[in-house]
Amino acid sequence: MKKKHMLIIYFIITILFCLLGTKVFFSVTNLELYRNPDEFYKNACIYFTDNNIEDNQEFQYDGNYFQMNTMQCNYIAENYNKTGSFFLFFDRIITSPVFLFLFPMFVPVFVLIPIVFNFTREFEAGYIIHFLQRKSYKKYVTHLFKDSYKYFFPVFIILLYIIVLALILSHGNFDPRMDIYRSILGNDYLIFYNNFGNYIVYFIIILLNIFMYINIGLIAISHSKNFYIVLIESFLITFIFNCFTFVFVGVFLQNVFGIVAESVNVFEIYTWSNITNPSLFLIVNLVYYLISLIFVYFSYKNKEKIIMLCEV
């Protein structure tokens, strides 16, 4: 199978995955819960104001317990009829059954399948031997990076699809405060409110994460040309690495600097749950990417070893 055909097939698979995810999302989600005006919270605010309840003091209304302040109540009174925000729909879509299957656990496999397929076949065919007759080994390594890094696009297509769908369902409402005050969305999303720079940081972090997975795949390919072995090995390495960094790096930052371990959890890159410091998260993922890049460098440093792998 030619690489061009692989790209086309993977593009079709990506689109079908999006359609399946959308079908399941609409079948299991009651959108009216997020679209209808929330009279209940408005009435709770009226009760809060009429009874002169102090800010942040817990009170009971209609069998439910609330903890509000005057600023929140004023906002709810004016915006109770707003539809759910973009962030609410994005969160609900990406955590719906089909998309949650992919994000974050199987993103490495989804990205690496075409890369591992192409390069294990290339190694088996001894392509590097013919390549080195015309060009340098350095250019062959550049070819590895160039041909593998382009496969970041399936994940970005799916994310872009979810973003567009969330935009349509929310009618372009980028204000998450009503959803947060109603306790149906975490405070984490406030970092995006009126801060365009954090959107850029978010996508850079995702790129670094995907490129790190690709680097791990390239490292595994440098030791074997068996498609199944390389794919399984790559998945296990990424899973163990993500667990290790959460348990040890997260705990270290929490104990030494008082930073909540959850805020550097790589498993939350796509759902953005508990991520409150985008700059720190960017630095952490940049370090992870650079570490994986160093390992790629040493994996392909020995030209003779790679040639021997292709000849066996």
Side-chain angles (χ1 to χ4, degrees), residues 284-295:
V284 167
N285 279 276
L286 178 60
V287 170
Y288 294 162
Y289 168 72
L290 291 176
I291 291 172
S292 69
L293 198 60
I294 291 170
F295 275 97

Side-chain angles (χ1 to χ4, degrees), residues 20-36:
L20 175 62
T22 307
K23 174 70 175 176
V24 173
F25 167 72
F26 281 114
S27 66
V28 301
T29 306
N30 183 3
L31 293 179
E32 298 307 314
L33 291 174
Y34 312 125
R35 283 176 168 170
N36 288 337

Side-chain angles (χ1 to χ4, degrees), residues 27-63:
S27 66
V28 301
T29 306
N30 183 3
L31 293 179
E32 298 307 314
L33 291 174
Y34 312 125
R35 283 176 168 170
N36 288 337
D38 202 325
E39 297 274 358
F40 182 70
Y41 269 80
K42 176 189 174 184
N43 294 334
C45 276
I46 293 172
Y47 179 87
F48 170 85
T49 305
D50 291 347
N51 288 274
N52 296 317
I53 299 171
E54 293 183 9
D55 284 0
N56 301 317
Q57 178 183 331
E58 189 177 68
F59 67 94
Q60 186 176 10
Y61 170 74
D62 197 24

Side-chain angles (χ1 to χ4, degrees), residues 78-189:
E78 295 175 6
N79 298 276
Y80 75 95
N81 59 345
K82 271 189 175 182
T83 189
S85 69
F86 162 81
F87 305 101
L88 177 64
F89 284 106
F90 180 86
D91 178 78
R92 294 302 185 267
I93 296 169
I94 206 167
T95 56
S96 61
V98 174
F99 291 113
L100 188 60
F101 174 80
L102 176 64
F103 299 107
M105 192 65 69
F106 290 103
V107 166
V109 175
F110 192 73
V111 171
L112 288 174
I113 285 175
I115 298 170
V116 174
F117 178 82
N118 285 336
F119 286 116
T120 51
R121 286 191 65 190
E122 194 170 283
F123 276 28
E124 285 178 350
Y127 173 77
I128 185 174
I129 298 169
H130 303 289
F131 187 98
L132 294 178
Q133 291 175 355
R134 298 174 287 109
K135 299 180 181 179
S136 67
Y137 179 69
K138 184 178 179 181
K139 287 189 176 179
Y140 181 75
V141 175
T142 303
H143 152 73
L144 285 177
F145 276 100
K146 182 180 175 183
D147 268 26
S148 57
Y149 272 37
K150 68 185 179 185
Y151 281 99
F152 76 89
F153 83 90
V155 175
F156 264 72
I157 287 176
I158 294 173
L159 286 174
L160 181 62
Y161 178 84
I162 293 173
I163 287 169
V164 171
L165 187 58
L167 275 171
I168 294 171
L169 293 174
S170 65
H171 305 301
N173 173 22
F174 279 92
D175 188 345
R177 288 177 292 174
M178 185 66 188
D179 301 323
I180 292 169
Y181 296 157
R182 291 170 61 195
S183 301
I184 57 176
L185 191 67
N187 286 322
D188 328 272
Y189 285 98

